[in-house]
Amino acid sequence: MSIEFLEVTPKIPSPKCSIINDIQSVIEGNDEFQNVTLLVGPRDSREEIKANKMMLMARSPVFAVMFQSEMVEKATSTVEITDISTNEFKILLKFIYTDDKPDLNDLKTIEDVIIDADKYQIIRLKNLCENQLLTNYLSIENAGHLLAFADQYDLKFKNYVIERF
């Protein structure tokens, strides 16, 4: 008795992967998963933003240290962030949740988000913004400024700026 195996190519379609959207909707839509309070912005105009501690820890080594060591943030589940605007932090938080490349429309915002990404060691966001800076904003008029900025925040494109100009 012999057994024959048929070669079959699967024809059953699979839905597109939706894990990022699923995680985001669960975290944003359920207060139970928003287990940390972020007090963002200057003290006179700060905004309270709820977030998910696990997502912050998974995406930022700085947040991981905050919540894993014996720092006040671990005990209170509250983080004061006074040196970032609310708008910038929402860009950072959206990236933390979705990994989507931010659509930033001006040089100042891109520079600010690079500074924030550097502070929280979110390297992928920093690199994405750096590429956007290089692609859309580098010119002869601002090459000196961007070179100094690149040097200050250890951006990889500083060598490109030196070679090009």
Side-chain angles (χ1 to χ4, degrees), residues 105-159:
N105 299 322
D106 64 272
L107 179 60
K108 169 115 174 63
T109 303
I110 292 172
E111 289 178 337
D112 290 343
V113 172
I114 287 173
I115 293 167
D116 302 337
D118 184 67
K119 176 181 177 179
Y120 288 97
Q121 298 177 12
I122 305 172
I123 305 305
R124 179 168 156 71
L125 176 60
K126 183 178 172 183
N127 291 345
L128 289 169
C129 290
E130 181 179 355
N131 283 330
Q132 192 171 1
L133 194 65
L134 182 61
T135 304
N136 300 329
Y137 293 96
L138 178 61
S139 67
I140 291 173
E141 293 78 25
N142 69 9
H145 165 76
L146 289 180
L147 183 58
F149 181 77
D151 191 50
Q152 183 176 2
Y153 291 97
D154 196 30
L155 303 181
K156 293 173 179 54
F157 81 82
K158 64 184 168 188
N159 295 331

Side-chain angles (χ1 to χ4, degrees), residues 49-76:
I49 298 173
K50 296 287 191 175
N52 180 271
K53 193 182 293 187
M54 180 206 65
M55 289 298 291
L56 296 174
M57 291 172 62
R59 304 281 286 161
S60 165
V62 174
F63 282 119
V65 167
M66 261 185 225
F67 296 124
Q68 290 175 332
S69 63
E70 296 306 314
M71 295 178 72
V72 69
E73 291 85 358
K74 180 180 178 182
T76 63

Side-chain angles (χ1 to χ4, degrees), residues 62-91:
V62 174
F63 282 119
V65 167
M66 261 185 225
F67 296 124
Q68 290 175 332
S69 63
E70 296 306 314
M71 295 178 72
V72 69
E73 291 85 358
K74 180 180 178 182
T76 63
S77 291
T78 302
V79 179
E80 286 190 51
I81 303 173
T82 58
D83 59 344
I84 298 176
S85 75
T86 304
N87 181 51
E88 290 167 35
F89 191 79
K90 287 179 179 178
I91 293 167

